[in-house]
Amino acid sequence: MFATYALVSYGIQGFLIVATQGVLTPSGPEDSSSDGFLLRHLVAYARRNLDEDVTMNDTYTRKMDEDYMRHALQLAAQGRGRTAPNPMVGAVIVNNGRIIGKGYHERCGEAHAEVNAFRNATEDVEGACMYVTLEPCSHEGRTPPCADRIIAEKISRVVIGATDPNPLVSGTGIARLRSAGIDVVTGVLADESTLLNEVFMKYILEKEPFVTLKLAMSLDGKIATSTGESQWISCEASRYRVHELRDMSTGILVGVGTVLADDPQLTCRIPGGANPVRIVADSALRTPEDARILHTLDETPTIIATTQRADARKVDRIRERGAQVIVFDDPDGRVPLKALMRQLGSQGIDSILAEGGSTLAASLLAEECVDKVHWFIAPMLIGGEDAKTPLGGRGIERLADAVRLTRMTTDSVGEDILLTGYIERG
């Protein structure tokens, strides 16, 4: 009867605790009394459910960390296209299950996410937990070390998304926090944080820009008609998406063929959007001196990459207009794209959207410059043996040499389909 009494007196939660602590025990497996029978089953139930409860609490703690980190990632994404060459970072400060401060890195040279979170805190942060998408910096740059600020603010726990690959930081921020007695948890939504900063992750290690190749074609694989007409294959929604990509990129790259055929401005036409640096691969410097990319230098810079084949007097005239001309001494008389990437990286250009035609696209892939591909497919059929396809050049002779993509995703953009993938590296 004692088991029944305990169940009634303590309630189910109280009974579970008392039972599993050994306060209630049956006299043995041979105890066949109704009380012993009930007690054995209730104790088994108690242990099973308390084990589940512990698991639920552990899961909840992990889920809570992931939920707050996800919020920090959403904050970080608000800095997209504005923090280069710095990473996008978000931070959230939590105390007793409440968000009391949050912030993100808004622009290169300005306060980091952690500092903005402290500035926006609604109460004292001592003893609180901070969620930050990337390891806090520990070196003196344009701003003081964030790790020192976290220590000074007496944060008790720091949850970090991804480790910073920057050799000036990598692991040292975490070590500094731990040496100060702060509980540090790492790797929470690390993949998401790394993906968010895919540009930074490459640039900080290789000092070359992250290159995204954008292509648009008809359903039967044509980028223009047999007469060369190409405007417009993709729908209006897709073209708007491309301008969003321009807004997120530091530079935009085309071949001289695009300049000659379309005389584009290569600017971002989203209200409030940022114009990328315009880059033209032009081995013989055929870019017209009255091209729009040379008449709108007050809007955004233009860089023309050429070779020793260029007319030296034309090089001087274009430079006098305010454009940068990079002359490569290439034995084949072609712009060496890999070398161009290194040059652009040294100038702080960390991301490039490549929008050129089939020749440039094929060359970028051949020289292993491309990291990511956005491939728009329009629901139309063009046909024609002479109509151009997305990739020019000689192509490959063996399927074993094909460029393969991984992590493919599919999206609907207006009437079009957008395929996105990453170049598979050997």
Side-chain angles (χ1 to χ4, degrees), residues 248-413:
M248 299 174 189
S249 304
T250 307
I252 181 172
L253 172 65
V254 298
V256 67
T258 298
V259 175
L260 294 173
D262 302 330
D263 192 20
Q265 294 187 64
L266 301 178
T267 53
C268 174
R269 290 190 283 279
I270 295 176
N275 289 325
V277 175
R278 299 171 293 200
I279 307 153
V280 181
D282 181 0
S283 59
L285 199 57
R286 292 187 294 152
T287 298
E289 294 181 58
D290 61 351
R292 290 201 285 181
I293 59 170
L294 296 178
H295 278 267
T296 53
L297 292 170
D298 57 330
E299 296 183 30
T300 189
T302 294
I303 300 173
I304 299 178
T306 189
T307 69
Q308 70 276 12
R309 294 167 55 195
D311 183 326
R313 291 169 298 178
K314 187 174 181 181
V315 169
D316 291 339
R317 289 196 301 271
I318 291 177
R319 284 174 173 167
E320 289 173 2
R321 298 281 297 272
Q324 180 184 358
V325 181
I326 304 172
V327 181
F328 290 96
D329 186 8
D330 185 79
D332 297 326
R334 303 180 65 180
V335 175
L337 295 173
K338 196 65 176 176
L340 174 60
M341 293 303 122
R342 289 192 290 268
Q343 174 66 35
L344 296 173
S346 70
Q347 295 182 204
I349 296 177
D350 65 346
S351 61
I352 289 176
L353 178 65
E355 289 194 40
S358 61
T359 300
L360 178 64
S363 298
L364 285 167
L365 289 168
E367 295 194 40
E368 299 185 347
C369 296
V370 180
D371 298 288
K372 186 177 183 178
V373 174
H374 285 307
W375 206 296
F376 293 87
I377 303 175
M380 66 170 67
L381 302 173
I382 294 176
E385 292 183 359
D386 296 330
K388 285 188 176 181
T389 58
L391 300 180
R394 294 181 58 185
I396 60 169
E397 296 180 357
R398 302 184 311 137
L399 285 177
D401 297 328
V403 177
R404 298 189 179 276
L405 278 71
T406 184
R407 290 185 282 161
M408 294 292 296
T409 60
T410 306
D411 191 14
S412 294
V413 183

Side-chain angles (χ1 to χ4, degrees), residues 148-275:
D148 291 351
R149 179 66 181 271
I150 292 171
I151 295 169
E153 294 285 352
K154 299 182 179 179
I155 292 291
S156 65
R157 181 173 184 256
V158 177
V159 181
I160 296 170
T163 302
D164 192 335
N166 186 344
L168 295 175
V169 180
S170 189
T172 60
I174 294 171
R176 186 173 298 186
L177 294 175
R178 284 177 172 158
S179 66
I182 296 175
D183 179 22
V184 180
V185 178
T186 62
V188 177
L189 299 186
D191 289 345
E192 288 87 337
S193 181
T194 299
L195 182 63
L196 177 70
N197 282 304
E198 59 188 7
V199 168
F200 173 77
M201 296 294 179
K202 177 186 178 180
Y203 181 72
I204 198 66
L205 293 176
E206 301 181 23
K207 299 304 179 185
E208 291 183 15
F210 184 94
V211 179
T212 299
L213 176 62
K214 187 277 297 183
L215 295 164
M217 70 177 190
S218 62
L219 194 58
D220 60 337
K222 306 295 183 180
I223 62 172
T225 67
S226 59
T227 62
E229 183 183 354
S230 62
Q231 296 182 350
W232 296 101
I233 288 178
S234 56
C235 69
E236 184 177 352
S238 292
R239 297 197 296 274
Y240 186 86
R241 178 70 65 89
V242 171
H243 281 278
E244 290 180 328
L245 294 173
R246 290 182 181 184
D247 177 51
M248 299 174 189
S249 304
T250 307
I252 181 172
L253 172 65
V254 298
V256 67
T258 298
V259 175
L260 294 173
D262 302 330
D263 192 20
Q265 294 187 64
L266 301 178
T267 53
C268 174
R269 290 190 283 279
I270 295 176
N275 289 325

Side-chain angles (χ1 to χ4, degrees), residues 67-78:
D67 285 346
Y68 286 126
M69 185 61 72
R70 195 165 284 111
H71 185 53
L73 286 166
Q74 291 170 352
L75 288 170
Q78 294 182 40

